[in-house]
Short mmCIF file of all heavy atoms in Angstrom, two decimals:
data_model
loop_
_atom_site.label_atom_id
_atom_site.label_comp_id
_atom_site.label_asym_id
_atom_site.label_seq_id
_atom_site.Cartn_x
_atom_site.Cartn_y
_atom_site.Cartn_z
N ALA A 13 67.45 72.25 104.96
CA ALA A 13 68.96 72.06 104.54
C ALA A 13 69.89 71.91 105.57
O ALA A 13 69.70 72.41 106.77
CB ALA A 13 69.28 73.35 103.67
N ASN A 14 70.84 71.08 105.42
CA ASN A 14 71.96 70.70 106.32
C ASN A 14 71.39 70.04 107.60
O ASN A 14 72.04 70.02 108.68
CB ASN A 14 72.68 72.07 106.75
CG ASN A 14 73.24 72.62 105.50
OD1 ASN A 14 73.97 72.11 104.80
ND2 ASN A 14 73.17 73.96 105.49
N PHE A 15 70.30 69.35 107.61
CA PHE A 15 69.66 68.63 108.76
C PHE A 15 70.58 67.51 109.05
O PHE A 15 71.09 66.69 108.25
CB PHE A 15 68.18 68.09 108.39
CG PHE A 15 67.81 67.11 109.30
CD1 PHE A 15 67.43 67.53 110.70
CD2 PHE A 15 67.76 65.68 109.07
CE1 PHE A 15 66.79 66.52 111.58
CE2 PHE A 15 67.46 64.84 110.01
CZ PHE A 15 66.84 65.25 111.30
N ASP A 16 70.97 67.40 110.37
CA ASP A 16 71.92 66.28 110.82
C ASP A 16 71.40 66.08 112.18
O ASP A 16 71.76 66.86 113.02
CB ASP A 16 73.25 66.65 110.65
CG ASP A 16 74.24 65.48 110.95
OD1 ASP A 16 73.73 64.50 111.58
OD2 ASP A 16 75.48 65.56 110.69
N ILE A 17 70.82 65.01 112.54
CA ILE A 17 70.25 64.60 113.81
C ILE A 17 71.35 64.57 114.85
O ILE A 17 71.24 64.69 116.14
CB ILE A 17 69.31 63.49 113.72
CG1 ILE A 17 68.27 63.50 114.81
CG2 ILE A 17 70.10 62.13 113.77
CD1 ILE A 17 67.06 62.60 114.65
N LYS A 18 72.47 64.06 114.48
CA LYS A 18 73.62 63.86 115.34
C LYS A 18 73.94 65.21 116.08
O LYS A 18 74.53 65.19 117.12
CB LYS A 18 74.81 63.36 114.60
CG LYS A 18 74.77 61.99 114.05
CD LYS A 18 76.03 61.37 113.63
CE LYS A 18 76.63 62.02 112.43
NZ LYS A 18 75.91 61.99 111.23
N ASN A 19 73.61 66.29 115.50
CA ASN A 19 73.91 67.59 116.09
C ASN A 19 73.19 67.91 117.39
O ASN A 19 73.53 68.70 118.14
CB ASN A 19 73.64 68.83 115.12
CG ASN A 19 74.58 68.76 114.00
OD1 ASN A 19 75.71 68.26 114.08
ND2 ASN A 19 74.20 69.38 112.94
N TYR A 20 72.13 67.06 117.65
CA TYR A 20 71.27 67.28 118.83
C TYR A 20 71.37 66.22 119.85
O TYR A 20 70.97 66.29 121.02
CB TYR A 20 69.80 67.23 118.41
CG TYR A 20 69.51 68.34 117.30
CD1 TYR A 20 69.61 68.09 115.98
CD2 TYR A 20 69.25 69.59 117.65
CE1 TYR A 20 69.33 69.00 115.05
CE2 TYR A 20 68.89 70.52 116.68
CZ TYR A 20 68.98 70.24 115.34
OH TYR A 20 68.71 71.22 114.42
N ALA A 21 72.38 65.23 119.77
CA ALA A 21 72.57 64.10 120.53
C ALA A 21 72.87 64.53 121.95
O ALA A 21 72.41 63.94 122.92
CB ALA A 21 73.48 63.15 119.91
N SER A 22 73.73 65.47 122.21
CA SER A 22 74.16 65.85 123.37
C SER A 22 73.36 67.00 124.02
O SER A 22 73.58 67.37 125.33
CB SER A 22 75.64 66.46 123.33
OG SER A 22 75.65 67.59 122.51
N ARG A 23 72.26 67.43 123.37
CA ARG A 23 71.55 68.48 123.74
C ARG A 23 70.04 68.11 124.28
O ARG A 23 69.41 68.89 124.91
CB ARG A 23 71.30 69.55 122.56
CG ARG A 23 72.63 70.12 122.18
CD ARG A 23 72.48 70.94 120.86
NE ARG A 23 71.51 71.92 121.03
CZ ARG A 23 71.06 72.66 119.91
NH1 ARG A 23 71.38 72.34 118.74
NH2 ARG A 23 70.07 73.61 120.04
N VAL A 24 69.66 66.88 123.97
CA VAL A 24 68.23 66.51 124.39
C VAL A 24 68.28 65.19 125.18
O VAL A 24 69.27 64.45 125.24
CB VAL A 24 67.60 66.25 123.10
CG1 VAL A 24 67.44 67.58 122.30
CG2 VAL A 24 68.04 65.10 122.28
N ASP A 25 67.20 65.02 125.86
CA ASP A 25 66.94 63.84 126.76
C ASP A 25 66.16 62.75 125.90
O ASP A 25 66.48 61.60 126.26
CB ASP A 25 66.15 64.25 127.93
CG ASP A 25 66.81 65.16 128.83
OD1 ASP A 25 68.02 64.78 129.41
OD2 ASP A 25 66.30 66.24 129.09
N ALA A 26 65.35 63.18 124.96
CA ALA A 26 64.65 62.24 124.23
C ALA A 26 64.13 62.80 123.10
O ALA A 26 64.07 64.08 122.93
CB ALA A 26 63.52 61.48 125.03
N ALA A 27 63.57 62.07 122.02
CA ALA A 27 62.94 62.62 120.94
C ALA A 27 61.49 62.20 120.87
O ALA A 27 61.16 61.17 121.40
CB ALA A 27 63.56 61.99 119.54
N LEU A 28 60.60 62.93 120.21
CA LEU A 28 59.21 62.60 119.93
C LEU A 28 58.99 62.84 118.47
O LEU A 28 59.17 64.05 117.97
CB LEU A 28 58.38 63.45 120.92
CG LEU A 28 57.00 62.84 121.29
CD1 LEU A 28 56.33 63.45 122.43
CD2 LEU A 28 56.01 62.89 120.08
N ILE A 29 58.58 61.87 117.92
CA ILE A 29 58.33 61.92 116.30
C ILE A 29 56.92 62.28 116.01
O ILE A 29 56.02 61.54 116.42
CB ILE A 29 58.77 60.52 115.64
CG1 ILE A 29 60.17 60.15 116.15
CG2 ILE A 29 58.55 60.70 114.32
CD1 ILE A 29 60.50 58.74 115.76
N ALA A 30 56.80 63.30 115.31
CA ALA A 30 55.45 63.72 114.80
C ALA A 30 55.50 63.75 113.34
O ALA A 30 54.76 64.53 112.58
CB ALA A 30 54.92 65.05 115.36
N LEU A 31 56.24 62.96 112.61
CA LEU A 31 56.41 62.90 111.22
C LEU A 31 55.47 61.85 110.69
O LEU A 31 55.46 60.67 111.14
CB LEU A 31 57.93 62.40 110.85
CG LEU A 31 58.97 63.50 111.15
CD1 LEU A 31 60.36 62.93 110.99
CD2 LEU A 31 58.85 64.71 110.18
N HIS A 32 54.77 62.05 109.71
CA HIS A 32 53.85 61.20 108.99
C HIS A 32 54.36 60.91 107.55
O HIS A 32 54.87 61.79 106.98
CB HIS A 32 52.45 61.71 108.97
CG HIS A 32 51.96 62.04 110.37
ND1 HIS A 32 52.04 61.36 111.49
CD2 HIS A 32 51.37 63.35 110.82
CE1 HIS A 32 51.65 61.97 112.54
NE2 HIS A 32 51.21 63.23 112.12
N GLY A 33 54.08 59.70 107.15
CA GLY A 33 54.44 59.36 105.68
C GLY A 33 55.96 58.97 105.54
O GLY A 33 56.55 58.70 106.54
N ALA A 34 56.39 58.94 104.38
CA ALA A 34 57.72 58.50 104.04
C ALA A 34 58.78 59.37 104.80
O ALA A 34 58.63 60.68 104.90
CB ALA A 34 58.14 58.69 102.51
N GLY A 35 59.80 58.67 105.46
CA GLY A 35 60.76 59.42 106.14
C GLY A 35 60.40 59.42 107.64
O GLY A 35 61.36 59.60 108.60
N GLY A 36 59.07 59.35 107.92
CA GLY A 36 58.69 59.24 109.47
C GLY A 36 58.23 58.01 109.89
O GLY A 36 58.51 57.63 111.00
N GLU A 37 57.33 57.28 109.02
CA GLU A 37 56.75 56.07 109.47
C GLU A 37 57.37 54.81 108.91
O GLU A 37 57.05 53.86 109.21
CB GLU A 37 55.24 56.19 109.02
CG GLU A 37 54.46 57.19 109.89
CD GLU A 37 52.98 57.17 109.65
OE1 GLU A 37 52.29 56.17 110.10
OE2 GLU A 37 52.49 57.99 108.79
N ASP A 38 58.29 54.96 108.02
CA ASP A 38 59.03 53.90 107.39
C ASP A 38 60.23 53.37 108.01
O ASP A 38 60.82 52.59 107.44
CB ASP A 38 59.23 54.36 105.83
CG ASP A 38 60.10 55.41 105.67
OD1 ASP A 38 60.65 56.04 106.66
OD2 ASP A 38 60.26 55.87 104.47
N GLY A 39 60.54 53.95 108.98
CA GLY A 39 61.75 53.52 109.69
C GLY A 39 63.03 54.39 109.50
O GLY A 39 64.09 54.24 110.19
#
């Protein structure tokens, strides 16, 4: 709940995606 990726923009150097299926592999 309340997931918002923008909240992490200033806190990380890069992202690594380990999501499979819809929401992860579909763009």
